[in-house]
Amino acid sequence: CEALAEAHVAGIVHRDLKPANLFLTRRADGSACVKVLDFGISKAALGADEAGAQNLTQTSSVLGTPGYMAPEQLRSSKHVDARTDIWALGVIFHQLLTGKMAFQGSTVADVYAAILTSPPEPLRSSRPDAPAVIEAIIGKCLEKDPNHRFANVREFAAAIGRFVPTGGGL
């Protein structure tokens, strides 16, 4: 969340968050550190009227990894913001806890259709031991309307913070 928040503050939306782009390492003091990798399809999220506003990659096609893409990203890779990455964090969090994707299908088109029209698989259907509040946090990340998601990564981090072990026990 820290790395992603820094990217967002710099005006960059990753657009392809997935477990393969998260690398666990250790800092010099031995504490755990997750590095966010592969900003290859990231987008500068600067205002269109700003001179420096530019897409770092072409945005006329679907860009991202099926299963981790937010509905608005499926509709237009150009019109995304930090809340698109929050969606992907919700999918990753769901997958981390259940071993399953939040939206499933037998084809990529089926996965896209599920993302656009179906609710996510309820966390507690696979993990009945999970606290309801965790399911609610993931649900908020996976709201179809970005305006109903966490406004930024710091809000998401604050919501999950009480469930994160302390002392670098990764």
Side-chain angles (χ1 to χ4, degrees):
C1 287
E2 291 172 13
L4 194 56
E6 286 187 35
H8 290 168
V9 166
I12 298 169
V13 180
H14 192 284
R15 296 195 302 184
D16 197 24
L17 284 177
K18 57 187 174 186
N21 287 340
L22 302 175
F23 181 75
L24 179 62
T25 187
R26 299 263 174 208
R27 293 181 180 96
D29 66 2
S31 62
C33 177
V34 176
K35 293 186 177 190
V36 179
L37 307 176
D38 193 2
F39 281 80
I41 67 165
S42 62
K43 175 186 179 293
L46 302 171
D49 58 335
E50 294 182 37
Q54 63 177 327
N55 294 326
L56 300 180
T57 59
Q58 179 180 332
T59 59
S60 61
S61 60
V62 175
L63 298 172
T65 301
Y68 298 94
M69 295 172 62
E72 66 275 13
Q73 187 175 3
L74 289 172
R75 290 183 192 100
S76 170
S77 293
K78 190 176 193 173
H79 298 103
V80 299
D81 61 25
R83 297 168 301 179
T84 300
D85 288 342
I86 290 168
W87 171 282
L89 285 176
V91 174
I92 292 166
F93 198 24
H94 183 280
Q95 184 180 13
L96 178 68
L97 294 173
T98 67
K100 300 177 186 176
M101 297 297 292
F103 299 91
Q104 299 180 28
S106 57
T107 67
V108 171
D110 289 344
V111 172
Y112 288 168
I115 289 168
L116 289 168
T117 63
S118 301
E121 178 184 315
L123 174 71
R124 295 175 74 200
S125 68
S126 296
R127 288 290 305 267
D129 60 323
V133 68
I134 293 286
E135 186 172 56
I137 290 168
I138 291 172
K140 185 166 182 165
C141 291
L142 300 179
E143 285 284 345
K144 304 288 186 206
D145 182 344
N147 293 315
H148 296 148
R149 292 184 206 141
F150 292 99
N152 54 57
V153 177
R154 294 200 192 284
E155 269 188 23
F156 170 73
I160 64 166
R162 70 182 199 183
F163 300 99
V164 177
T166 57
L170 293 175

